[in-house]
Amino acid sequence: MERITKHPIIESFDKGRKVAFTFDGKTMEGFEGEPVAAALKANGVMIHRYTEKRHEPRGIFCAIGRCTDCVMVVDGVPNTRTCVTLLKEGMDVRTQYGKGGTEYEKI
Amino acid sequence: MNTSDVLIIGAGVVGCAAAYYLRKNGVSVTVLESDMIGNGGSSRNGGGVRISGRDPRELGICAYGVKNIWPTLSEELGIDVEYRQKGYLVCGYDDSHKRLIKDRINTAAKFGIKMELKEEEEIRSLYPYVSEHVTCAGWTPSDGVANPLKTTLGYYIRARENGARFITGEKVLCIEKIKGRARKVITESGNVYEAESIILACGYGGRKILNSVGIEVLMQKKLEEVIVTEPAPRLFDHMIGGMSGFYGQQTEHGSFVLGSSCGRETYLFNKSNTVSTYSAPSFICDSIGVDIPALKKLKVIRTWSGWIDRSYDAVPIIGNIEEVPGLFVSIASSGHGFGPGPAVGFILSELAQGRPSPVDISKLHYDRFDYVKYQDRYFVSDVGGSFS
Amino acid sequence: MSKIIDRSADIGEFVPEKDDDILVCRCEEITKGEIRKAVHMGLYTMTEVKRFLRPTMGLCQGQICGENVRRIIAKELKEPIEALKETTARPPVRPIEMEVFGNEVEKL
Amino acid sequence: MRRYDVCIIGAGPAGLSAAIEAQKLGMKSAVFDENHRPGGQLFKQIHKFFGSKEHMAKIRGFEIGKELLEEAKNVGVDVHLDAVVMGIYEPHRITVREDDSITSYSADSIIVSTGASEKTIPFEGWTLPGVIGAGAAQTMMNLYGVRPGKKILMMGSGNVGLVVGFQLLQAGCEVAALIDAAPRIGGYGVHAAKLARCGIPFYLSHTVVKAEGNGKVEKVTIAEIDKNWEFIPGTEKTFDVDTVCLAVGLTPMSQLLRMAGCKTKYAGGTVPVCDKFGETSIKGLFASGDVSGIEEASSAMIGGKISAVGAAFRCGFINEKEREQKYDEYSLSLFKLRKGLFSKENKGRTDITKTDEGIDLSMTLFKKGYMTEEELKKFVRNSEIKGPHPVIECTQNIPCNPCEDSCSFGCIHVGNEISAVPKFDENKKCRNCKMCVASCPGQAIFIVDNDIGDGYASVSFPYEFCPLPEIGEKGFALGRDGKDLCVAEIIDVTTNKAFDSTAVVTMKVPKEMSMTARFYRKEVPVNE
């Protein structure tokens, strides 16, 4: 479990209610209002997308919405910055392949 | 030291192409650029390579490029300029637009170019991504798009490699004649360059330089703005434009590059640079959303703008100038100079070598605005002015 | 006044380096070697390299790689980093949906 | 178009301080922030701040954030959150995305306080998931309670690397090592010492050769570099870590200022050319905080106030005399913070070998993150002192003085020059209240009693980990280098509100260990 349950300084983390969402169709749990990226990380998901040219995996890098490396297809919308997109009940989060197709076009 | 056969002022697509073709013939070339390579309209346009919707006077040049240069340009330069001849769809919304499209079809036909009118039903089935707002459209299969950045820089890279001397940051102040012929150029830094012939292809900045040899051209600066979206899977591969004034393409890279203007730019705060106005990008997004709703969800990642050097009749000024022998110009592209750019570069290189232009450019002469009688007034088209 | 640069001046040959394969621009997947080669093709400004190769032109608009690209080009030209002009900063500062960008409202 | 007297971009320490000051000076102020939560980086800063009382020293960053936000609301600042400033236009107009629309705001003055973003350093494998910015690690663990990784390699030994390294430990992560290409630890020695006594090794003149793994970081190789930044063959070391944190510096987020067209210069990043009020080459456009040059949050807060003063004058809310008075007051406060070994002019210097007091600086502290006893002896006299007394291991002229304020018995002296090295006044009597131990933002004060009978000494030290040791518990006393020294027994654990989550733990160690034992771990050695 990647969640911090006890912290010497921070008494409690400001969290919403527990909600279910899906990652590539698999149901996962997270807290409403936390970034999608945090919920994924807590569930052990490291790979957010595969790049267009080299098909290389990418994940969280800056976590504050600047680097755009953590983008995924969220509720059908590609290039969604998961580190600044807040989790909602029932969200459909998918690994992004290249520009946003769900799989690489095999030519 | 600063002497060459031909001196080119302006390292845009025309200047770089001219340098490239001159070097191909072994002519020594120096290119003076006040800014950097291709930082004017050559980089700031929608990448349209079209013959349709052109004024009859410039149609010949455009057709020459599409026939003789564009199809083999990537191969010739060894650099992919991303040219694709997949047609151009211009969207109309009412009967007046339909009439305009029909006019264009007639003009095109005179030059043997195929252009069709698409009625509503066909639009719905062929171009499902345009909205019901679009009720008529002009379709020109021989039109296409290219990557302006790679085209301009591609010409530059090869011209430089073949020995053309490019000097950037060197702003030309004036041209001087020697024994009646344009031979000398003096720059802001005080440097003097000499050549047998001079090609002037530096957009609006050319006006002042022409003034230095007593020539005035009728032109005006106009800001045009562009939005660039995130890359997306391919939606269409043709050029698109609308009677609302927008134009653009989905690039090879996948992003959409769409330009327009909100009409208010000229009246806005006096801008010293070319960062977009606060008003145009929103207007462009709004208007494109109406025509192509599929793009509404796409994210805009950048906007930019650039100056259009627009002539009085929105048609370029190309060719020699009798009063200044040895001087050849391409200015006032009027916002649609990229597509014909390579051809214009080639033609100027021919003229500078004392050869005739392969196409008739006599009607693009700079003094065509003089001695005009009421009945001869050229049609001034606002719509046609910005369809690069 | 911009700096006068003779693009035919000798900047030396392109010499391969061990780390040429490392990605510099994460968005557009451009390597250090590609950027260095572009400089030797005559692209001496950040803007030219950007327009030709696309580094700093992706989703993040150079927020991550911009400074690294600048440093690489400057080094190749044997110039200090500050001698190299940055690319123009332009709106929007963050990606924004076209429908939102187009929805300009007045709040009073 | 909505109008304010002043629009402030960025609700971090500089922006919020500017907004509060501007509102207090009578200006109708609004602050815009793209984030859901305001405070900028403050809410990720869980350590106690340095400085003096006027700089909110010894208060944790996130508490300062809360206070600033509260005050901003109380004085009537309009705080726009989830409000992304998309562009800035002449003369003084900004476009802001709020919800699903764009709105223009205008103001007579604009203060840009957009802060900084992290620099990066490309290496083989740096795009693998698991290579993250140190800021990303902070965001994940301190804002959202999610550990960035299990085992982490920290790249960069500036204050960010040191502070985040420690926070990673606090979050329950393992830190494999801290590495830096520079030959010296860049941040405060006291921050490094906190890590060193937890046993974290420092590798200086080292950088990452490559990160490898299947779909994520699994292994990282580092190597020593020579003066030309070339790897020295044979010096490679490999760590089985799942995360690499990059803390290789910050660069101002100057896009908006550049967009506005103001004059800039290069100073480790693009910064605007400003006057003493932070006014750029464009009249009425100000820059404050990290965007005008990287510093600490404490200086950003003062910088924000100064730019608000400048803006108030520019818009006619105060006259020139008032402006200069305010400026003098704030600049004095700023001046105090900008002194010492880590000040701008001393940054990166390796030729300084003595403190302002003329004492030899610890070179081991620069190399390994801790001091040798010999080096410490130049600062601290201990053996002859009877009874409990503070041993202050703060030796680098850091502008900070909460220790002085914390002692109601006047035992600790710093003086007006807050960057002076603090001294224990042996003529005063320490009452063992331990307030100084808990107050020191650098956790560099220990209460030592050389003789508590039976050949034992006691050492009290600050403790900010979970779980707390229990009284009576036995474990190992650790040296400054984090190595096991001897068996220790916990004889006291003090927590109270005034200590603000810092526990002060007291352990009993053999007498001869009183000046070497500085930390503790619970694991009982096998032989015991």
Side-chain angles (χ1 to χ4, degrees):
Chain A
M1 191 58 189
E2 316 254 359
R3 295 223 185 247
I4 301 166
T5 46
K6 217 168 161 15
H7 194 282
I9 312 298
I10 306 162
E11 279 173 36
S12 69
F13 293 97
D14 188 13
K15 282 193 194 111
R17 67 189 172 107
K18 207 174 242 184
V19 292
F21 69 99
T22 59
F23 166 66
D24 285 346
K26 206 175 120 194
T27 303
M28 289 182 171
E29 271 185 348
F31 294 99
E32 191 173 55
E34 71 180 349
V36 170
L40 289 171
K41 178 82 194 138
N43 282 282
V45 175
M46 294 291 286
I47 300 172
H48 288 220
R49 67 177 181 113
Y50 289 92
T51 61
E52 169 82 9
K53 265 198 206 167
R54 298 187 172 202
H55 299 196
E56 284 176 355
R58 294 285 171 85
I60 296 169
F61 185 64
C62 82
I64 48 170
R66 299 207 180 123
C67 75
T68 65
D69 241 337
C70 69
V71 297
M72 300 176 85
V73 183
V74 178
D75 287 337
V77 181
N79 290 329
T80 303
R81 293 173 296 159
T82 54
C83 67
V84 290
T85 302
L86 306 183
L87 188 69
K88 287 190 201 117
E89 169 106 66
M91 247 179 186
D92 174 25
V93 181
R94 289 179 184 277
T95 306
Q96 179 167 328
Y97 294 84
K99 290 169 200 155
T102 45
E103 250 185 284
Y104 286 113
E105 289 160 0
K106 291 175 184 82
I107 305 158
Chain B
M1 189 59 188
N2 287 337
T3 309
S4 49
D5 295 337
V6 178
L7 190 76
I8 299 174
I9 305 169
V13 65
V14 172
C16 292
Y20 172 81
Y21 293 116
L22 285 165
R23 281 308 304 149
K24 237 182 133 177
N25 287 339
V27 178
S28 71
V29 186
T30 300
V31 185
L32 303 179
E33 166 57 53
S34 67
D35 192 353
M36 55 180 130
I37 309 296
N39 199 28
S42 302
S43 291
R44 301 165 199 262
N45 64 73
V49 179
R50 66 181 168 86
I51 308 174
S52 67
R54 296 275 178 183
D55 186 281
R57 289 167 287 168
E58 57 174 329
L59 221 147
I61 292 186
C62 299
Y64 183 86
V66 168
K67 190 162 173 247
N68 300 299
I69 298 180
W70 281 110
T72 53
L73 188 55
S74 293
E75 205 181 324
E76 162 122 26
L77 296 176
I79 286 166
D80 186 5
V81 299
E82 296 167 14
Y83 172 65
R84 48 175 208 267
Q85 199 172 15
K86 299 283 184 169
Y88 176 35
L89 186 74
V90 60
C91 303
Y93 323 117
D94 57 30
D95 285 347
S96 71
H97 296 150
K98 198 182 263 185
R99 279 196 298 277
L100 196 59
I101 291 165
K102 281 179 179 165
D103 281 349
R104 289 186 185 177
I105 291 171
N106 289 337
T107 309
K110 281 184 204 153
F111 287 81
I113 294 149
K114 200 180 138 202
M115 184 177 172
E116 305 159 19
L117 175 73
K118 300 284 183 193
E119 300 280 0
E120 251 189 291
E121 204 172 298
E122 218 178 343
I123 293 170
R124 299 285 91 80
S125 66
L126 288 174
Y127 318 107
Y129 35 82
V130 301
S131 76
E132 306 223 326
H133 178 64
V134 179
T135 53
C136 59
W139 173 251
T140 317
S142 59
D143 284 352
V145 291
N147 180 332
L149 314 173
K150 293 189 85 176
T151 304
T152 305
L153 290 168
Y155 270 122
Y156 158 70
I157 287 166
R158 295 306 175 220
R160 175 184 171 272
E161 195 178 83
N162 294 337
R165 185 180 177 209
F166 284 80
I167 301 168
T168 53
E170 186 77 300
K171 188 179 178 181
V172 172
L173 290 183
C174 60
I175 295 172
E176 280 184 7
K177 289 182 185 172
I178 296 178
K179 292 182 182 163
R181 190 177 162 91
R183 290 287 301 276
K184 235 170 145 181
V185 149
I186 298 166
T187 68
E188 198 175 54
S189 61
N191 290 335
V192 180
Y193 296 82
E194 281 188 41
E196 296 299 316
S197 311
I198 297 170
I199 292 174
L200 181 89
C202 58
Y204 190 80
R207 184 177 198 167
K208 256 194 164 165
I209 300 170
L210 282 172
N211 285 169
S212 73
V213 278
I215 304 296
E216 171 63 336
V217 286
L218 271 65
M219 62 199 278
Q220 200 179 40
K221 256 169 108 177
K222 181 175 174 276
L223 200 71
E224 189 87 1
E225 309 197 34
V226 168
I227 59 165
V228 183
T229 72
E230 62 188 312
R234 187 146 301 280
L235 188 64
F236 52 79
D237 50 15
H238 55 77
M239 172 91 182
I240 194 161
M243 291 294 175
S244 62
F246 84 90
Y247 54 87
Q249 60 160 309
Q250 181 174 18
T251 63
E252 281 295 304
H253 172 260
S255 57
F256 287 83
V257 175
L258 300 159
S260 188
S261 64
C262 68
R264 285 168 281 171
E265 289 89 348
T266 317
Y267 307 93
L268 284 166
F269 198 76
N270 185 22
K271 293 174 69 66
S272 50
N273 52 28
T274 52
V275 174
S276 322
T277 62
Y278 58 81
S279 127
S282 285
F283 177 84
I284 298 172
C285 289
D286 185 35
S287 69
I288 286 164
V290 172
D291 281 16
I292 321 172
L295 302 186
K296 280 161 82 170
K297 294 277 173 207
L298 279 187
K299 290 176 274 290
V300 176
I301 59 168
R302 191 170 177 85
T303 61
W304 41 260
S305 60
W307 298 108
I308 285 177
D309 50 338
R310 193 180 191 278
S311 73
Y312 173 68
D313 58 3
V315 170
I317 294 162
I318 298 168
N320 63 324
I321 294 197
E322 281 80 6
E323 294 88 332
V324 193
L327 178 64
F328 307 93
V329 304
S330 162
I331 51 167
S333 299
S334 304
H336 47 265
F338 169 68
V344 174
F346 176 73
I347 290 164
L348 292 181
S349 78
E350 291 291 291
L351 296 177
Q353 291 173 83
R355 290 199 282 263
S357 166
V359 291
D360 177 20
I361 53 167
S362 58
K363 297 222 165 76
L364 300 171
H365 208 251
Y366 88 96
D367 66 355
R368 62 179 182 264
F369 313 108
D370 300 343
Y371 317 111
V372 174
K373 299 281 184 269
Y374 178 77
Q375 61 270 30
D376 304 330
R377 275 207 324 181
Y378 292 102
F379 169 65
V380 180
S381 157
D382 258 330
V383 179
S386 50
F387 264 17
S388 257
Chain C
M1 202 167 79
S2 325
K3 206 171 109 189
I4 297 170
I5 308 168
D6 185 339
R7 300 299 181 104
S8 305
D10 186 20
I11 60 158
E13 284 295 295
F14 171 80
V15 184
E17 285 176 13
K18 272 179 287 181
D19 56 356
D20 275 343
D21 290 338
I22 290 176
L23 281 186
V24 174
C25 173
R26 298 168 67 101
C27 297
E28 293 295 318
E29 301 175 82
I30 314 289
T31 65
K32 183 182 172 189
E34 288 175 280
I35 295 168
R36 292 180 53 243
K37 270 183 202 150
V39 174
H40 288 271
M41 287 166 99
L43 308 179
Y44 289 3
T45 66
M46 267 191 94
T47 303
E48 288 162 16
V49 173
K50 166 186 174 161
R51 286 177 178 160
F52 191 67
L53 270 188
R54 298 193 60 87
T56 79
M57 213 170 181
L59 265 190
C60 92
Q61 287 290 297
Q63 292 202 69
I64 301 299
C65 70
E67 188 151 330
N68 293 331
V69 173
R70 193 178 180 195
R71 184 170 294 111
I72 291 166
I73 299 172
K75 196 180 163 209
E76 215 53 37
L77 292 169
K78 302 179 181 74
E79 296 262 14
I81 184 166
E82 54 267 42
L84 207 68
K85 231 176 116 185
E86 283 172 285
T87 56
T88 316
R90 294 183 181 276
V93 172
R94 302 280 179 260
I96 176 170
E97 296 79 2
M98 213 186 271
E99 62 182 347
V100 178
F101 209 2
N103 185 23
E104 205 182 359
V105 298
E106 180 153 24
K107 282 185 189 163
L108 296 167
Chain D
M1 185 167 49
R2 202 152 150 191
R3 198 200 150 274
Y4 288 100
D5 292 323
V6 60
C7 279
I8 294 137
I9 308 169
L16 283 175
S17 305
I20 293 165
E21 183 73 16
Q23 192 78 23
K24 282 182 179 168
L25 293 171
M27 303 174 87
K28 199 168 152 240
S29 322
V31 54
F32 298 86
D33 198 290
E34 64 176 315
N35 296 296
H36 185 58
R37 304 182 192 208
Q41 303 309 302
L42 281 175
F43 281 91
K44 301 167 195 176
Q45 308 300 344
I46 59 168
H47 60 283
K48 293 176 177 171
F49 273 37
F50 289 67
S52 66
K53 227 179 207 163
E54 60 185 297
H55 310 117
M56 307 218 212
K58 86 164 187 187
I59 305 176
R60 296 186 192 273
F62 65 96
E63 299 288 356
I64 296 176
K66 276 187 209 164
E67 281 177 34
L68 283 179
L69 194 61
E70 190 80 359
E71 193 180 354
K73 283 181 180 158
N74 287 343
V75 297
V77 174
D78 266 1
V79 181
H80 296 250
L81 298 176
D82 288 314
V84 193
V85 175
M86 287 292 167
I88 186 163
Y89 304 92
E90 296 171 72
H92 291 136
R93 183 182 183 126
I94 55 173
T95 54
V96 184
R97 180 212 178 128
E98 288 172 286
D99 297 321
D100 289 332
S101 64
I102 284 275
T103 306
S104 284
Y105 292 86
S106 83
D108 295 341
S109 277
I110 291 177
I111 300 175
V112 177
S113 313
T114 43
S117 62
E118 295 185 283
K119 288 192 185 189
T120 59
I121 182 159
F123 50 80
E124 192 182 332
W126 79 300
T127 56
L128 269 179
V131 178
I132 58 172
Q138 268 193 321
T139 306
M140 298 303 279
M141 64 186 173
N142 295 345
L143 278 189
Y144 303 114
V146 177
R147 283 186 199 98
K150 287 189 180 70
K151 197 170 174 185
I152 293 144
L153 182 86
M154 176 63 71
M155 199 172 176
S157 72
N159 274 340
V160 174
L162 298 173
V163 166
V164 176
F166 190 70
Q167 290 173 359
L168 283 163
L169 295 175
Q170 291 179 307
C173 307
E174 197 182 325
V175 177
L178 246 98
I179 70 163
D180 202 311
R184 264 190 181 197
I185 291 171
Y188 293 173
V190 288
H191 280 318
K194 290 189 298 183
L195 286 162
R197 61 180 179 257
C198 291
I200 313 301
F202 287 83
Y203 292 94
L204 298 169
S205 303
H206 274 72
T207 193
V208 171
V209 179
K210 60 181 169 185
E212 304 163 89
N214 182 18
K216 56 184 197 290
V217 174
E218 287 165 352
K219 199 166 88 175
V220 177
T221 307
I222 66 165
E224 198 173 336
I225 49 170
D226 62 21
K227 276 181 191 138
N228 304 318
W229 286 67
E230 298 280 349
F231 294 118
I232 302 172
T235 60
E236 294 87 357
K237 281 169 205 72
T238 299
F239 297 91
D240 294 324
V241 294
D242 59 12
T243 305
V244 180
C245 268
L246 306 184
V248 292
L250 299 168
T251 185
M253 292 242 301
S254 55
Q255 290 97 322
L256 283 169
L257 290 165
R258 283 166 48 213
M259 203 183 289
C262 67
K263 271 200 195 105
T264 59
K265 61 180 180 190
Y266 186 84
T270 301
V271 295
V273 177
C274 292
D275 69 6
K276 65 179 185 180
F277 300 99
E279 190 166 19
T280 65
S281 60
I282 296 173
K283 234 184 175 184
L285 180 68
F286 293 79
S288 69
D290 275 354
V291 76
S292 60
I294 307 297
E295 279 188 276
E296 303 287 330
S298 323
S299 11
M301 289 187 274
I302 308 170
K305 287 183 195 174
I306 292 176
S307 59
V309 169
F313 171 75
R314 183 57 71 211
C315 305
F317 282 79
I318 54 173
N319 62 33
E320 200 168 343
K321 199 180 153 205
E322 289 166 306
R323 177 179 74 161
E324 294 307 316
Q325 268 171 2
K326 289 257 173 209
Y327 175 77
D328 288 347
E329 180 193 332
Y330 293 140
S331 63
L332 182 68
S333 178
L334 197 54
F335 179 71
K336 287 185 194 165
L337 277 179
R338 286 179 172 163
K339 295 196 83 178
L341 185 61
F342 297 90
S343 64
K344 228 183 235 169
E345 54 269 32
N346 289 340
K347 213 176 174 185
R349 275 179 67 177
T350 50
D351 58 330
I352 303 174
T353 55
K354 286 184 191 299
T355 67
D356 290 349
E357 293 81 1
I359 311 169
D360 289 338
L361 283 166
S362 162
M363 290 300 142
T364 320
L365 188 55
F366 286 130
K367 296 274 174 205
K368 296 184 168 170
Y370 57 85
M371 299 173 80
T372 63
E373 263 181 88
E374 286 310 304
E375 288 169 328
L376 185 65
K377 271 181 189 157
K378 293 176 181 165
F379 293 88
V380 175
R381 206 176 68 90
N382 171 58
S383 50
E384 304 93 62
I385 302 168
K386 290 206 167 66
H389 62 279
V391 172
I392 306 170
E393 306 193 358
C394 168
T395 61
Q396 288 182 325
N397 294 124
I398 295 166
C400 182
N401 71 353
C403 52
E404 187 175 51
D405 292 341
S406 73
C407 184
S408 0
F409 313 103
C411 297
I412 300 176
H413 180 74
V414 177
N416 283 336
E417 207 59 85
I418 64 164
S419 59
V421 167
K423 291 290 274 181
F424 166 53
D425 184 347
E426 288 173 32
N427 299 319
K428 301 272 166 62
K429 174 87 180 123
C430 168
R431 310 292 164 104
N432 198 17
C433 71
K434 298 174 181 136
M435 203 54 213
C436 56
V437 179
S439 299
C440 172
Q443 301 190 9
I445 303 183
F446 304 85
I447 301 276
V448 173
D449 190 337
N450 289 314
D451 186 3
I452 56 167
D454 302 329
Y456 283 101
S458 73
V459 177
S460 302
F461 56 92
Y463 198 84
E464 289 190 351
F465 294 102
C466 285
L468 283 179
E470 281 167 29
I471 294 173
E473 174 187 307
K474 276 188 180 173
F476 254 125
L478 309 179
R480 293 184 185 84
D481 57 0
K483 297 216 169 77
D484 293 352
L485 277 180
C486 57
V487 177
E489 185 188 336
I490 301 300
I491 54 172
D492 186 57
V493 178
T494 309
T495 55
N496 69 47
K497 209 162 170 249
F499 284 8
D500 183 15
S501 303
T502 309
V504 179
V505 175
T506 306
M507 63 184 171
K508 187 172 96 174
V509 292
K511 234 175 143 175
E512 62 275 17
M513 296 297 174
S514 71
M515 279 307 279
T516 42
R518 286 296 176 267
F519 208 58
Y520 169 84
R521 69 177 178 95
K522 191 185 174 180
E523 281 161 82
V524 179
V526 189
N527 292 341
E528 288 283 314

